[in-house]
Amino acid sequence: MMSNETKPQWYEQLKTPPFDKPMFTPQMEQQVLQQRLRKQKQYRAAKPLQATAIIGMAVVMAVVLILAVTGRLGTDSSTDLAGLWLRNDDAKAWEPHSVYMQHSIPLIEAIPGGDYQAGWASSCYWLLNIPYEQLQQSTIQITATERSTGMTVTELPETAIDRTMSNKDSIRFGSDFALPFAGTWRFDVKIDGERKGDVVFEIPDSDWQIASSFEFENSVITGNNMRMGYVSSGFTAGKPNKFLWHLFNVEKQAKQIRVNAVKQGSTDVLTLLETRLSGSEWHTTLPSSMQLPESGLWRLLVYVDDKFFDSMVVVVKEP
């Protein structure tokens, strides 16, 4: 923990919430309470089964050890069994779970909102069952890692824990829950940089409906109505083109914009644009040049100050 005297200047900036709208509602809180009651019943019912499973694994390992020592199990066989054990353990760690247990007690609970899908922000309600008094001088951060690619993104930037997060014997907070592509994603929760636990979700793909257009101040903008988009003739594979970006209702003092792109059916994430942002909070414009390497459908993911802002699907034409 940091004392008031040792806090760096940027620490105060962490008090700004990492989202621009309320991330949990009374309905979500009721959903959380109901889910916690269901989980508690499941944990009580599962304890005898867990004990039996642990005893069974211990017996199996003991038999393998005896056979290896007495020479009845070849070295290669024992190595294969050990490798199989480790692989099974790794697979179990990636099994979807929305609650992380510590000493048979829920430590981390995550409740995503709505029908979450890749490429869009669904928001997520989080509970960390540690009293606020133990965390009031700390920061919290969440990273998300995709299993097959190893790609890691920031789900929740490092944020100072304040009293608004206090909730009886726990803290509560929200995140965007916006992943760039479908897959198995593990969310690691960290306090002051130290990992406390994780949850795992299977994130399905979303529809690839091509972005429409809307009019604003005599311009036709391709994108999401009064949220974001660009004025341009569009993308042609392998050829750069000019794009005038329009962003609406950007957070105060936003400084950086990044545009990533993912092709339909791929897990490769390209960075098309990364530059400083200027303009008013209500409406910001940004001239840019971008290109995509292949024809097909691509999803553009826009981040402002490393926070997910919005996404859109575009068509890249053949040259």
Side-chain angles (χ1 to χ4, degrees), residues 49-83:
L49 295 176
Q50 292 173 348
T52 302
I54 292 172
I55 294 172
M57 287 189 291
V59 170
V60 171
M61 288 301 293
V63 171
V64 172
L65 181 60
I66 292 171
L67 291 175
V69 171
T70 59
R72 297 182 183 181
L73 190 66
T75 302
D76 292 341
S77 298
S78 60
T79 302
D80 290 344
L81 284 171

PDB file of all heavy atoms in Angstrom, residues 49-83:
ATOM      1  N   LEU A  49     -18.477 -33.881  -2.960  1.00  0.00           N
ATOM      2  CA  LEU A  49     -17.929 -34.371  -4.214  1.00  0.00           C
ATOM      3  C   LEU A  49     -16.484 -33.946  -4.393  1.00  0.00           C
ATOM      4  O   LEU A  49     -15.648 -34.712  -4.884  1.00  0.00           O
ATOM      5  CB  LEU A  49     -18.778 -33.858  -5.381  1.00  0.00           C
ATOM      6  CG  LEU A  49     -20.225 -34.370  -5.423  1.00  0.00           C
ATOM      7  CD1 LEU A  49     -20.976 -33.701  -6.575  1.00  0.00           C
ATOM      8  CD2 LEU A  49     -20.262 -35.880  -5.567  1.00  0.00           C
ATOM      9  N   GLN A  50     -16.165 -32.706  -3.989  1.00  0.00           N
ATOM     10  CA  GLN A  50     -14.789 -32.232  -4.105  1.00  0.00           C
ATOM     11  C   GLN A  50     -13.854 -33.048  -3.227  1.00  0.00           C
ATOM     12  O   GLN A  50     -12.748 -33.413  -3.629  1.00  0.00           O
ATOM     13  CB  GLN A  50     -14.719 -30.747  -3.724  1.00  0.00           C
ATOM     14  CG  GLN A  50     -15.416 -29.825  -4.717  1.00  0.00           C
ATOM     15  CD  GLN A  50     -15.469 -28.397  -4.221  1.00  0.00           C
ATOM     16  OE1 GLN A  50     -15.182 -28.123  -3.059  1.00  0.00           O
ATOM     17  NE2 GLN A  50     -15.858 -27.482  -5.099  1.00  0.00           N
ATOM     18  N   ALA A  51     -14.296 -33.348  -2.022  1.00  0.00           N
ATOM     19  CA  ALA A  51     -13.463 -34.141  -1.117  1.00  0.00           C
ATOM     20  C   ALA A  51     -13.216 -35.518  -1.698  1.00  0.00           C
ATOM     21  O   ALA A  51     -12.098 -36.052  -1.653  1.00  0.00           O
ATOM     22  CB  ALA A  51     -14.147 -34.250   0.248  1.00  0.00           C
ATOM     23  N   THR A  52     -14.257 -36.143  -2.278  1.00  0.00           N
ATOM     24  CA  THR A  52     -14.108 -37.464  -2.885  1.00  0.00           C
ATOM     25  C   THR A  52     -13.139 -37.410  -4.053  1.00  0.00           C
ATOM     26  O   THR A  52     -12.291 -38.296  -4.229  1.00  0.00           O
ATOM     27  CB  THR A  52     -15.479 -37.975  -3.368  1.00  0.00           C
ATOM     28  OG1 THR A  52     -16.374 -38.021  -2.263  1.00  0.00           O
ATOM     29  CG2 THR A  52     -15.353 -39.360  -3.986  1.00  0.00           C
ATOM     30  N   ALA A  53     -13.240 -36.368  -4.868  1.00  0.00           N
ATOM     31  CA  ALA A  53     -12.347 -36.233  -6.021  1.00  0.00           C
ATOM     32  C   ALA A  53     -10.902 -36.073  -5.589  1.00  0.00           C
ATOM     33  O   ALA A  53      -9.993 -36.657  -6.183  1.00  0.00           O
ATOM     34  CB  ALA A  53     -12.782 -35.034  -6.875  1.00  0.00           C
ATOM     35  N   ILE A  54     -10.671 -35.297  -4.533  1.00  0.00           N
ATOM     36  CA  ILE A  54      -9.299 -35.100  -4.049  1.00  0.00           C
ATOM     37  C   ILE A  54      -8.711 -36.406  -3.546  1.00  0.00           C
ATOM     38  O   ILE A  54      -7.554 -36.750  -3.831  1.00  0.00           O
ATOM     39  CB  ILE A  54      -9.286 -34.033  -2.930  1.00  0.00           C
ATOM     40  CG1 ILE A  54      -9.629 -32.667  -3.518  1.00  0.00           C
ATOM     41  CG2 ILE A  54      -7.927 -33.988  -2.243  1.00  0.00           C
ATOM     42  CD1 ILE A  54      -9.834 -31.582  -2.481  1.00  0.00           C
ATOM     43  N   ILE A  55      -9.509 -37.161  -2.796  1.00  0.00           N
ATOM     44  CA  ILE A  55      -9.036 -38.461  -2.288  1.00  0.00           C
ATOM     45  C   ILE A  55      -8.725 -39.394  -3.455  1.00  0.00           C
ATOM     46  O   ILE A  55      -7.704 -40.094  -3.472  1.00  0.00           O
ATOM     47  CB  ILE A  55     -10.092 -39.081  -1.354  1.00  0.00           C
ATOM     48  CG1 ILE A  55     -10.231 -38.224  -0.088  1.00  0.00           C
ATOM     49  CG2 ILE A  55      -9.717 -40.506  -0.989  1.00  0.00           C
ATOM     50  CD1 ILE A  55     -11.384 -38.644   0.805  1.00  0.00           C
ATOM     51  N   GLY A  56      -9.619 -39.401  -4.466  1.00  0.00           N
ATOM     52  CA  GLY A  56      -9.403 -40.265  -5.626  1.00  0.00           C
ATOM     53  C   GLY A  56      -8.124 -39.916  -6.357  1.00  0.00           C
ATOM     54  O   GLY A  56      -7.355 -40.808  -6.748  1.00  0.00           O
ATOM     55  N   MET A  57      -7.837 -38.624  -6.554  1.00  0.00           N
ATOM     56  CA  MET A  57      -6.609 -38.217  -7.235  1.00  0.00           C
ATOM     57  C   MET A  57      -5.378 -38.606  -6.429  1.00  0.00           C
ATOM     58  O   MET A  57      -4.365 -39.027  -6.983  1.00  0.00           O
ATOM     59  CB  MET A  57      -6.633 -36.700  -7.479  1.00  0.00           C
ATOM     60  CG  MET A  57      -7.598 -36.274  -8.578  1.00  0.00           C
ATOM     61  SD  MET A  57      -7.426 -34.535  -9.036  1.00  0.00           S
ATOM     62  CE  MET A  57      -8.059 -33.762  -7.551  1.00  0.00           C
ATOM     63  N   ALA A  58      -5.473 -38.470  -5.115  1.00  0.00           N
ATOM     64  CA  ALA A  58      -4.343 -38.839  -4.266  1.00  0.00           C
ATOM     65  C   ALA A  58      -4.042 -40.326  -4.378  1.00  0.00           C
ATOM     66  O   ALA A  58      -2.874 -40.743  -4.432  1.00  0.00           O
ATOM     67  CB  ALA A  58      -4.649 -38.464  -2.813  1.00  0.00           C
ATOM     68  N   VAL A  59      -5.075 -41.162  -4.431  1.00  0.00           N
ATOM     69  CA  VAL A  59      -4.879 -42.612  -4.566  1.00  0.00           C
ATOM     70  C   VAL A  59      -4.215 -42.934  -5.894  1.00  0.00           C
ATOM     71  O   VAL A  59      -3.276 -43.740  -5.968  1.00  0.00           O
ATOM     72  CB  VAL A  59      -6.235 -43.342  -4.436  1.00  0.00           C
ATOM     73  CG1 VAL A  59      -6.081 -44.807  -4.805  1.00  0.00           C
ATOM     74  CG2 VAL A  59      -6.775 -43.221  -3.020  1.00  0.00           C
ATOM     75  N   VAL A  60      -4.692 -42.318  -6.975  1.00  0.00           N
ATOM     76  CA  VAL A  60      -4.114 -42.570  -8.299  1.00  0.00           C
ATOM     77  C   VAL A  60      -2.637 -42.197  -8.322  1.00  0.00           C
ATOM     78  O   VAL A  60      -1.791 -42.937  -8.831  1.00  0.00           O
ATOM     79  CB  VAL A  60      -4.895 -41.791  -9.372  1.00  0.00           C
ATOM     80  CG1 VAL A  60      -4.171 -41.868 -10.719  1.00  0.00           C
ATOM     81  CG2 VAL A  60      -6.306 -42.347  -9.497  1.00  0.00           C
ATOM     82  N   MET A  61      -2.292 -41.036  -7.783  1.00  0.00           N
ATOM     83  CA  MET A  61      -0.897 -40.602  -7.764  1.00  0.00           C
ATOM     84  C   MET A  61      -0.035 -41.525  -6.937  1.00  0.00           C
ATOM     85  O   MET A  61       1.117 -41.821  -7.286  1.00  0.00           O
ATOM     86  CB  MET A  61      -0.814 -39.163  -7.231  1.00  0.00           C
ATOM     87  CG  MET A  61      -1.347 -38.113  -8.204  1.00  0.00           C
ATOM     88  SD  MET A  61      -0.468 -38.117  -9.790  1.00  0.00           S
ATOM     89  CE  MET A  61       1.140 -37.558  -9.267  1.00  0.00           C
ATOM     90  N   ALA A  62      -0.579 -42.007  -5.847  1.00  0.00           N
ATOM     91  CA  ALA A  62       0.177 -42.924  -5.001  1.00  0.00           C
ATOM     92  C   ALA A  62       0.478 -44.214  -5.742  1.00  0.00           C
ATOM     93  O   ALA A  62       1.593 -44.760  -5.672  1.00  0.00           O
ATOM     94  CB  ALA A  62      -0.598 -43.209  -3.711  1.00  0.00           C
ATOM     95  N   VAL A  63      -0.510 -44.739  -6.472  1.00  0.00           N
ATOM     96  CA  VAL A  63      -0.303 -45.971  -7.242  1.00  0.00           C
ATOM     97  C   VAL A  63       0.750 -45.763  -8.315  1.00  0.00           C
ATOM     98  O   VAL A  63       1.634 -46.592  -8.524  1.00  0.00           O
ATOM     99  CB  VAL A  63      -1.647 -46.428  -7.868  1.00  0.00           C
ATOM    100  CG1 VAL A  63      -1.409 -47.570  -8.852  1.00  0.00           C
ATOM    101  CG2 VAL A  63      -2.614 -46.870  -6.783  1.00  0.00           C
ATOM    102  N   VAL A  64       0.671 -44.626  -9.032  1.00  0.00           N
ATOM    103  CA  VAL A  64       1.667 -44.327 -10.061  1.00  0.00           C
ATOM    104  C   VAL A  64       3.058 -44.254  -9.464  1.00  0.00           C
ATOM    105  O   VAL A  64       4.038 -44.777 -10.024  1.00  0.00           O
ATOM    106  CB  VAL A  64       1.313 -43.001 -10.774  1.00  0.00           C
ATOM    107  CG1 VAL A  64       2.441 -42.567 -11.705  1.00  0.00           C
ATOM    108  CG2 VAL A  64       0.009 -43.150 -11.552  1.00  0.00           C
ATOM    109  N   LEU A  65       3.194 -43.622  -8.300  1.00  0.00           N
ATOM    110  CA  LEU A  65       4.491 -43.488  -7.649  1.00  0.00           C
ATOM    111  C   LEU A  65       5.047 -44.846  -7.254  1.00  0.00           C
ATOM    112  O   LEU A  65       6.235 -45.138  -7.455  1.00  0.00           O
ATOM    113  CB  LEU A  65       4.355 -42.574  -6.422  1.00  0.00           C
ATOM    114  CG  LEU A  65       5.642 -42.304  -5.632  1.00  0.00           C
ATOM    115  CD1 LEU A  65       6.672 -41.624  -6.538  1.00  0.00           C
ATOM    116  CD2 LEU A  65       5.355 -41.450  -4.408  1.00  0.00           C
ATOM    117  N   ILE A  66       4.204 -45.704  -6.689  1.00  0.00           N
ATOM    118  CA  ILE A  66       4.658 -47.034  -6.278  1.00  0.00           C
ATOM    119  C   ILE A  66       5.128 -47.841  -7.478  1.00  0.00           C
ATOM    120  O   ILE A  66       6.187 -48.491  -7.451  1.00  0.00           O
ATOM    121  CB  ILE A  66       3.524 -47.774  -5.538  1.00  0.00           C
ATOM    122  CG1 ILE A  66       3.254 -47.093  -4.189  1.00  0.00           C
ATOM    123  CG2 ILE A  66       3.878 -49.250  -5.334  1.00  0.00           C
ATOM    124  CD1 ILE A  66       2.028 -47.608  -3.483  1.00  0.00           C
ATOM    125  N   LEU A  67       4.344 -47.805  -8.564  1.00  0.00           N
ATOM    126  CA  LEU A  67       4.726 -48.548  -9.765  1.00  0.00           C
ATOM    127  C   LEU A  67       6.033 -48.041 -10.351  1.00  0.00           C
ATOM    128  O   LEU A  67       6.870 -48.810 -10.828  1.00  0.00           O
ATOM    129  CB  LEU A  67       3.616 -48.452 -10.806  1.00  0.00           C
ATOM    130  CG  LEU A  67       2.307 -49.189 -10.462  1.00  0.00           C
ATOM    131  CD1 LEU A  67       1.250 -48.904 -11.514  1.00  0.00           C
ATOM    132  CD2 LEU A  67       2.544 -50.688 -10.335  1.00  0.00           C
ATOM    133  N   ALA A  68       6.221 -46.730 -10.308  1.00  0.00           N
ATOM    134  CA  ALA A  68       7.458 -46.160 -10.854  1.00  0.00           C
ATOM    135  C   ALA A  68       8.661 -46.567 -10.017  1.00  0.00           C
ATOM    136  O   ALA A  68       9.720 -46.909 -10.542  1.00  0.00           O
ATOM    137  CB  ALA A  68       7.341 -44.642 -10.925  1.00  0.00           C
ATOM    138  N   VAL A  69       8.510 -46.529  -8.685  1.00  0.00           N
ATOM    139  CA  VAL A  69       9.616 -46.873  -7.788  1.00  0.00           C
ATOM    140  C   VAL A  69       9.987 -48.339  -7.906  1.00  0.00           C
ATOM    141  O   VAL A  69      11.164 -48.724  -7.893  1.00  0.00           O
ATOM    142  CB  VAL A  69       9.250 -46.511  -6.328  1.00  0.00           C
ATOM    143  CG1 VAL A  69      10.287 -47.065  -5.364  1.00  0.00           C
ATOM    144  CG2 VAL A  69       9.146 -45.005  -6.183  1.00  0.00           C
ATOM    145  N   THR A  70       8.986 -49.213  -8.039  1.00  0.00           N
ATOM    146  CA  THR A  70       9.250 -50.654  -8.099  1.00  0.00           C
ATOM    147  C   THR A  70       9.658 -51.111  -9.486  1.00  0.00           C
ATOM    148  O   THR A  70       9.947 -52.291  -9.704  1.00  0.00           O
ATOM    149  CB  THR A  70       8.005 -51.438  -7.665  1.00  0.00           C
ATOM    150  OG1 THR A  70       6.907 -51.100  -8.519  1.00  0.00           O
ATOM    151  CG2 THR A  70       7.640 -51.120  -6.224  1.00  0.00           C
ATOM    152  N   GLY A  71       9.666 -50.189 -10.445  1.00  0.00           N
ATOM    153  CA  GLY A  71      10.095 -50.535 -11.789  1.00  0.00           C
ATOM    154  C   GLY A  71       9.026 -51.173 -12.637  1.00  0.00           C
ATOM    155  O   GLY A  71       9.285 -51.607 -13.760  1.00  0.00           O
ATOM    156  N   ARG A  72       7.817 -51.269 -12.132  1.00  0.00           N
ATOM    157  CA  ARG A  72       6.737 -51.878 -12.903  1.00  0.00           C
ATOM    158  C   ARG A  72       6.130 -50.908 -13.915  1.00  0.00           C
ATOM    159  O   ARG A  72       5.312 -51.290 -14.739  1.00  0.00           O
ATOM    160  CB  ARG A  72       5.643 -52.389 -11.963  1.00  0.00           C
ATOM    161  CG  ARG A  72       6.142 -53.499 -11.043  1.00  0.00           C
ATOM    162  CD  ARG A  72       5.021 -54.012 -10.156  1.00  0.00           C
ATOM    163  NE  ARG A  72       5.518 -55.015  -9.221  1.00  0.00           N
ATOM    164  CZ  ARG A  72       4.736 -55.645  -8.331  1.00  0.00           C
ATOM    165  NH1 ARG A  72       3.439 -55.367  -8.264  1.00  0.00           N
ATOM    166  NH2 ARG A  72       5.256 -56.547  -7.526  1.00  0.00           N
ATOM    167  N   LEU A  73       6.505 -49.658 -13.817  1.00  0.00           N
ATOM    168  CA  LEU A  73       6.035 -48.658 -14.763  1.00  0.00           C
ATOM    169  C   LEU A  73       7.257 -48.011 -15.389  1.00  0.00           C
ATOM    170  O   LEU A  73       8.113 -47.472 -14.690  1.00  0.00           O
ATOM    171  CB  LEU A  73       5.200 -47.588 -14.035  1.00  0.00           C
ATOM    172  CG  LEU A  73       4.443 -46.596 -14.911  1.00  0.00           C
ATOM    173  CD1 LEU A  73       3.355 -47.317 -15.706  1.00  0.00           C
ATOM    174  CD2 LEU A  73       3.827 -45.504 -14.058  1.00  0.00           C
ATOM    175  N   GLY A  74       7.387 -48.098 -16.693  1.00  0.00           N
ATOM    176  CA  GLY A  74       8.552 -47.564 -17.375  1.00  0.00           C
ATOM    177  C   GLY A  74       8.684 -46.066 -17.198  1.00  0.00           C
ATOM    178  O   GLY A  74       7.712 -45.367 -16.909  1.00  0.00           O
ATOM    179  N   THR A  75       9.916 -45.583 -17.411  1.00  0.00           N
ATOM    180  CA  THR A  75      10.160 -44.151 -17.257  1.00  0.00           C
ATOM    181  C   THR A  75       9.322 -43.330 -18.219  1.00  0.00           C
ATOM    182  O   THR A  75       8.736 -42.312 -17.861  1.00  0.00           O
ATOM    183  CB  THR A  75      11.659 -43.843 -17.504  1.00  0.00           C
ATOM    184  OG1 THR A  75      12.430 -44.602 -16.593  1.00  0.00           O
ATOM    185  CG2 THR A  75      11.938 -42.360 -17.320  1.00  0.00           C
ATOM    186  N   ASP A  76       9.241 -43.793 -19.474  1.00  0.00           N
ATOM    187  CA  ASP A  76       8.469 -43.064 -20.468  1.00  0.00           C
ATOM    188  C   ASP A  76       7.004 -43.006 -20.072  1.00  0.00           C
ATOM    189  O   ASP A  76       6.337 -41.988 -20.227  1.00  0.00           O
ATOM    190  CB  ASP A  76       8.606 -43.719 -21.838  1.00  0.00           C
ATOM    191  CG  ASP A  76      10.016 -43.572 -22.390  1.00  0.00           C
ATOM    192  OD1 ASP A  76      10.737 -42.683 -21.906  1.00  0.00           O
ATOM    193  OD2 ASP A  76      10.386 -44.359 -23.282  1.00  0.00           O
ATOM    194  N   SER A  77       6.492 -44.119 -19.519  1.00  0.00           N
ATOM    195  CA  SER A  77       5.083 -44.152 -19.133  1.00  0.00           C
ATOM    196  C   SER A  77       4.801 -43.180 -18.004  1.00  0.00           C
ATOM    197  O   SER A  77       3.803 -42.469 -18.007  1.00  0.00           O
ATOM    198  CB  SER A  77       4.689 -45.574 -18.714  1.00  0.00           C
ATOM    199  OG  SER A  77       4.853 -46.473 -19.788  1.00  0.00           O
ATOM    200  N   SER A  78       5.714 -43.155 -17.006  1.00  0.00           N
ATOM    201  CA  SER A  78       5.498 -42.255 -15.879  1.00  0.00           C
ATOM    202  C   SER A  78       5.580 -40.804 -16.327  1.00  0.00           C
ATOM    203  O   SER A  78       4.832 -39.946 -15.849  1.00  0.00           O
ATOM    204  CB  SER A  78       6.531 -42.527 -14.772  1.00  0.00           C
ATOM    205  OG  SER A  78       7.843 -42.331 -15.253  1.00  0.00           O
ATOM    206  N   THR A  79       6.496 -40.533 -17.280  1.00  0.00           N
ATOM    207  CA  THR A  79       6.596 -39.171 -17.811  1.00  0.00           C
ATOM    208  C   THR A  79       5.337 -38.781 -18.559  1.00  0.00           C
ATOM    209  O   THR A  79       4.831 -37.671 -18.428  1.00  0.00           O
ATOM    210  CB  THR A  79       7.815 -39.055 -18.750  1.00  0.00           C
ATOM    211  OG1 THR A  79       8.987 -39.405 -18.028  1.00  0.00           O
ATOM    212  CG2 THR A  79       7.949 -37.640 -19.296  1.00  0.00           C
ATOM    213  N   ASP A  80       4.802 -39.742 -19.349  1.00  0.00           N
ATOM    214  CA  ASP A  80       3.586 -39.469 -20.090  1.00  0.00           C
ATOM    215  C   ASP A  80       2.426 -39.183 -19.148  1.00  0.00           C
ATOM    216  O   ASP A  80       1.619 -38.284 -19.380  1.00  0.00           O
ATOM    217  CB  ASP A  80       3.235 -40.643 -20.997  1.00  0.00           C
ATOM    218  CG  ASP A  80       4.222 -40.785 -22.156  1.00  0.00           C
ATOM    219  OD1 ASP A  80       4.949 -39.819 -22.409  1.00  0.00           O
ATOM    220  OD2 ASP A  80       4.260 -41.866 -22.768  1.00  0.00           O
ATOM    221  N   LEU A  81       2.348 -39.964 -18.051  1.00  0.00           N
ATOM    222  CA  LEU A  81       1.269 -39.756 -17.088  1.00  0.00           C
ATOM    223  C   LEU A  81       1.395 -38.397 -16.408  1.00  0.00           C
ATOM    224  O   LEU A  81       0.408 -37.700 -16.195  1.00  0.00           O
ATOM    225  CB  LEU A  81       1.270 -40.869 -16.036  1.00  0.00           C
ATOM    226  CG  LEU A  81       0.705 -42.220 -16.512  1.00  0.00           C
ATOM    227  CD1 LEU A  81       0.958 -43.285 -15.461  1.00  0.00           C
ATOM    228  CD2 LEU A  81      -0.775 -42.110 -16.803  1.00  0.00           C
ATOM    229  N   ALA A  82       2.644 -38.029 -16.083  1.00  0.00           N
ATOM    230  CA  ALA A  82       2.858 -36.725 -15.455  1.00  0.00           C
ATOM    231  C   ALA A  82       2.454 -35.596 -16.399  1.00  0.00           C
ATOM    232  O   ALA A  82       1.821 -34.623 -16.009  1.00  0.00           O
ATOM    233  CB  ALA A  82       4.315 -36.572 -15.039  1.00  0.00           C
ATOM    234  N   GLY A  83       2.827 -35.767 -17.696  1.00  0.00           N
ATOM    235  CA  GLY A  83       2.455 -34.753 -18.671  1.00  0.00           C
ATOM    236  C   GLY A  83       0.954 -34.666 -18.851  1.00  0.00           C
ATOM    237  O   GLY A  83       0.394 -33.583 -18.969  1.00  0.00           O
TER     238      GLY A  83
END
